[in-house]
Amino acid sequence: MQSVLVYGRLLTRALVNGVYSYSSEVPHRKRDFGGEPHFVTAWSGFPKDVSSNYYALRRRGQFGDDAFFIARHKTVDVLGVADGVGGWRSYGIDPSLFSGSLMQTCERLVTLGRFNPQSPSSIIASSYYELFESKEQIVGSSTACVVVLNKTDGKMYAANIGDSGFLVVREGKVVHRSEEQQHYFNTPFQLSLAPPGQNGQVLSDSPEAADTSHFNVRDGDLILVGTDGLFDNMPDSMIVAELSKLKDFNADSIQRTANSIALQARRLAFDANYMSPFALRARENGIDAIGGKPDDITVLLATVAM
């Protein structure tokens, strides 16, 4: 995701030799039918570019400029992703710092219980304003998506700013989906912290502008949270087809499926002849485009177990 300034959008792409995949998982809990719902979660992804600091970023929950967190606190499980705006790199600013700091702060707030379990937008907002008020200035922009499974009422609450997002798949069908928020083509809503004196020149949306939703979950529901590197390269139908191959809802199977989805998105991103969802939207906006969209890719895949 590249757009930074109101004046002049920066669109850059880079190809990488080879494919790189790293993944991990949250320890599996035994399914207890009739009990309280909880997530069994795995994550996977790829950076668009492999840099000297890639391994350090991966260890702290990042793939390139993408960042994510997985956290639990008492009666809630929480997942979150953010996509740093890559255009900041042209100004000598590391885009991964803002997205990473945003997700790390979200994770800390959840771990400490400083949030409303029915309001994931408040997690995003509290994290953003904490960074805004920090003495250690961080400059950058990012989208954000946070979902909360509230075990007390059996509902999932979601908040999304920009073009990261989530899918809920039940019995092979998408039953809930986040709505993309775009100012115009390839310029999503985004949270921003500008350099001193440049607030008026940087595209920035309020965390209160997040699209929010909530709904009841069922045992076996699949929750996929991802950045636009996934959704720009794989349509929902292709993602659902991959999820339909998941027969066992244990942690190992979920991990393999998350890896498979991330790998397929990665391959398609560098397929110059593929009519990707991103290329289709470009054509709808009068841009003659074809091919995938090379980008960082982050996939969080969870099943609801009861």
Side-chain angles (χ1 to χ4, degrees):
M1 196 254 289
Q2 295 290 335
S3 302
V4 179
L5 302 183
V6 175
Y7 309 105
R9 287 158 54 204
L10 303 168
L11 303 177
T12 61
R13 292 186 178 184
L15 296 178
V16 195
N17 293 324
V19 176
Y20 301 81
S21 175
Y22 298 89
S23 61
S24 181
E25 65 188 52
V26 172
H28 173 59
R29 297 184 186 182
K30 183 179 180 180
R31 299 178 74 87
D32 180 17
F33 295 96
E36 64 180 20
H38 58 269
F39 282 155
V40 179
T41 308
W43 57 264
S44 189
F46 298 86
K48 180 177 71 174
D49 306 310
V50 178
S51 61
S52 59
N53 67 341
Y54 167 62
Y55 295 99
L57 289 176
R58 180 176 64 87
R59 282 195 297 270
R60 70 172 190 253
Q62 293 196 232
F63 290 107
D65 300 334
D66 284 1
F68 68 92
F69 77 95
I70 301 171
R72 290 189 172 113
H73 180 76
K74 294 183 179 180
T75 60
V76 297
D77 289 348
V78 187
L79 311 176
V81 298
D83 177 11
V85 177
W88 282 105
R89 192 169 284 106
S90 298
Y91 298 87
I93 295 170
D94 182 352
S96 70
L97 293 179
F98 181 80
S99 57
S101 297
L102 185 70
M103 292 292 96
Q104 289 169 27
T105 307
C106 284
E107 181 177 12
R108 179 171 54 79
L109 293 174
V110 171
T111 302
L112 294 174
R114 293 166 49 189
F115 68 101
N116 180 345
Q118 296 180 336
S119 178
S121 61
S122 68
I123 301 175
I124 297 174
S126 295
S127 178
Y128 172 75
Y129 289 125
E130 184 170 316
L131 295 179
F132 181 82
E133 296 169 0
S134 174
K135 294 180 180 179
E136 181 182 351
Q137 185 183 48
I138 297 176
V139 174
S141 307
S142 177
T143 64
C145 180
V146 173
V147 301
V148 175
L149 176 61
N150 189 337
K151 304 173 187 179
T152 302
D153 59 14
K155 293 182 179 181
M156 192 179 103
Y157 297 83
N160 184 63
I161 296 176
D163 58 0
S164 293
F166 70 90
L167 295 176
V168 181
V169 176
R170 180 180 298 158
E171 297 177 352
K173 297 181 180 179
V174 177
V175 294
H176 297 285
R177 196 196 199 287
S178 57
E179 293 291 335
E180 279 195 9
Q181 295 177 310
Q182 297 272 0
H183 289 284
Y184 43 87
F185 174 67
N186 204 32
T187 305
F189 281 35
Q190 54 200 261
L191 304 175
S192 299
L193 292 178
Q198 297 187 26
N199 286 328
Q201 298 181 23
V202 175
L203 181 63
S204 182
D205 297 287
S206 166
E208 286 77 22
D211 178 69
T212 61
S213 59
H214 66 275
F215 42 85
N216 294 321
V217 294
R218 298 181 186 174
D219 186 72
D221 281 354
L222 292 170
I223 316 295
L224 186 146
V225 184
T227 55
D228 66 332
L230 170 66
F231 298 116
D232 282 344
N233 289 298
M234 290 183 70
D236 290 0
S237 58
M238 192 177 294
I239 295 173
V240 171
E242 285 297 311
L243 293 176
S244 68
K245 300 175 184 178
L246 182 62
K247 303 303 181 183
D248 298 316
F249 292 91
N250 58 57
D252 290 339
S253 296
I254 295 168
Q255 186 66 66
R256 285 193 295 269
T257 301
N259 291 346
S260 176
I261 292 172
L263 178 60
Q264 186 166 350
R266 171 72 175 186
R267 288 171 173 165
L268 293 172
F270 290 96
D271 185 342
N273 298 311
Y274 169 57
M275 186 56 70
S276 64
F278 181 82
L280 289 171
R281 288 194 296 272
R283 292 192 173 200
E284 292 172 357
N285 285 272
I287 301 172
D288 187 13
I290 191 172
K293 180 175 177 284
D295 202 351
D296 304 315
I297 296 167
T298 298
V299 175
L300 307 184
L301 179 60
T303 183
V304 176
M306 295 184 178

